[in-house]
Amino acid sequence: MALPLSSPDELPAALSARRGGRLAVVAGGAIAVLVLVAALALWFRYGTAVFFETIAAGIAGCF
């Protein structure tokens, strides 16, 4: 018979870690959606040329 990988005492900690991982994935997804919505708002507000120029200037400012 196979031995369990964790004792019953360790199980709640493992479930808690899984919830924390799920929370991180949900938070990351929410941030990604917000960035996408902001990018689309800029695109519709300023048009394609200004949008790309703004992105290029922001990238150039980072380096």
Side-chain angles (χ1 to χ4, degrees):
M1 187 161 125
L3 296 174
L5 296 175
S6 62
S7 69
D9 295 334
E10 296 172 351
L11 189 58
L15 290 176
S16 175
R18 185 174 295 162
R19 272 188 240 144
R22 183 174 296 160
L23 178 63
V25 169
V26 169
I31 290 171
V33 168
L34 287 174
V35 168
L36 178 64
V37 168
L40 288 173
L42 284 173
W43 188 304
F44 287 120
R45 173 72 171 107
Y46 295 112
T48 305
V50 175
F51 175 78
F52 283 121
E53 288 296 322
T54 303
I55 298 298
I59 292 172
C62 291
F63 300 104

